[in-house]
Amino acid sequence: MKIWIDCLRNEHHLPTEAYHELLTCQDAEVTDYLHQQAREVSLTQFGNKVYIRGLIEISNCCKNDCYYCGIRKSNTHIERYRLTKEQILDCCREGYKLGFRTFVMQGGEDRAQSVDWVIEVVTAIRSEFPDCAITLSLGEMSYQDYERLYDAGANRYLLRHETYQSSHYQQLHPQEMSAQHRQQCLRWLKEIGFQTGTGIMVGSPHQTIDNIIEDILFIEQLKPQMIGLGPFIPHQDTPFAQHPAGSVELTLKLLSIFRLMFPQVLIPSTTALASLGGDGRLKGILAGANVVMPNLSPSNTRKKYELYNNKASLGAEAAEGLTLLNEQLKTIGYEISMERGDYK
Ligand code: 5AD
């Protein structure tokens, strides 16, 4: 098995059966070797530096009804909010002072925050913070709208494909959504020039190892600049409330596989990973992740942006907890980088 891992590190690709063996292998020694190789690649590419992104959750209103997501349209048990342009700019100002040079605006597909309005916000951030990267994570849009956002000064876009295979996609999403359209959006984003991020939830309901392998092959084709992976975590007010959470171990394995496939790709150690195990964030870094995204949203809205239950939001998860985050990273020999951290 270690030969496969060496092969992945050197060739950045494996035969399908080898991915299968690697993903199902229970041997701790092999897993440790996989993480160690991925970590070496990260250290060569980025040194012991971890990039930070300030996450601003701009709205928890959503027109979609994804079966796994806590802010789905049908959930009547949450208090909906949307930030104003001024509130978002205040988050950026606060973040800039703390040292953030990337702002990520994430939110549900909220019709009330029109594309024209988002363009206005992006334009304002671009002019006040010319040295910062602006990342958007606002779901599916038309080619023209993505293009207008790019022209207004947005640089990066995060849109997980969630799962490649159509029938599995349909088990997670209502009829009006499709895997094909999601993948089309990702190709558009890349074509327009966005540094583009995609990814999946690990252990989502009905997911098989073969699904994950198809995800790997899709990502291999797309060649995104960023890859986001987190374990599925149930939310009490969704149809998947009773479904068990995804495995941290499998998430970490996959993270290492992607690091070996794409040495330069930006991989966050996600909040979902941090939410499941106390030191999930650090485990992600040790498996080859090189980005963390502390929460920069106003503190009174953080709890309302609940995609899954028990979202980590205190201490090192919060933008104000940057010193704590840095202390934690230092215990494993890493530290925060204050650079913008573009894909190179
Ligand atoms: N558990 C884990 N991740 C989730 N997401 C949405 N709902 C959940 C959940 N219950 C992820 C999706 C989405 C990203 C913003 O959050 O992959 O793309």
Side-chain angles (χ1 to χ4, degrees), residues 210-221:
D210 287 334
N211 288 144
I212 297 180
I213 294 169
E214 288 175 292
D215 292 322
I216 293 176
L217 299 178
F218 169 70
I219 290 176
E220 185 169 26
Q221 265 196 350

Side-chain angles (χ1 to χ4, degrees), residues 116-172:
D116 287 340
W117 178 83
V118 181
I119 289 174
E120 223 184 283
V121 179
V122 169
T123 307
I125 300 176
R126 178 50 60 239
S127 82
E128 191 169 333
F129 305 98
D131 56 331
C132 292
I134 301 174
T135 306
L136 301 177
S137 179
L138 300 171
E140 297 182 13
M141 297 183 194
S142 67
Y143 185 96
Q144 286 74 15
D145 286 343
Y146 284 144
E147 196 170 43
R148 289 166 66 217
L149 288 163
Y150 185 80
D151 292 342
N155 314 93
R156 309 181 188 147
Y157 205 102
L158 305 175
L159 181 70
R160 291 189 181 172
H161 69 283
E162 312 295 0
T163 182
Y164 174 76
Q165 215 234 333
S166 290
S167 57
H168 183 225
Y169 194 92
Q170 243 40 76
Q171 290 178 303
L172 302 178

Side-chain angles (χ1 to χ4, degrees), residues 69-81:
C69 185
I71 65 167
R72 64 199 300 265
K73 171 176 71 178
S74 302
N75 184 5
T76 52
H77 299 284
I78 58 168
E79 195 187 324
R80 303 283 176 175
Y81 75 88

Side-chain angles (χ1 to χ4, degrees), residues 55 57 68-71 106 160 201 230-236 238 270-276 303 305-313 317:
L55 180 65
E57 296 154 336
Y68 48 82
C69 185
I71 65 167
Q106 183 174 91
R160 291 189 181 172
M201 288 175 289
F232 163 77
I233 305 176
H235 185 290
Q236 67 207 10
T238 64
T270 52
T271 307
L273 201 48
S275 300
L276 272 195
K303 278 208 174 59
Y305 194 82
E306 201 189 30
L307 307 184
Y308 44 81
N309 289 140
N310 306 315
K311 182 180 96 168
S313 64
E317 297 309 316

Side-chain angles (χ1 to χ4, degrees), residues 1-9 14-15 17-18 21-22:
M1 195 63 81
K2 286 185 181 174
I3 291 178
W4 283 132
I5 298 171
D6 294 339
C7 178
L8 186 59
R9 182 169 175 178
L14 287 181
E17 316 79 66
E21 272 187 56
L22 208 49

Side-chain angles (χ1 to χ4, degrees), residues 5 32 40 46 76 100 113 136 160 220 222 338-339:
I5 298 171
D32 285 348
E40 273 182 32
F46 310 101
T76 52
F100 288 93
Q113 287 181 334
L136 301 177
R160 291 189 181 172
E220 185 169 26
L222 181 72
M338 291 296 181
E339 281 169 37

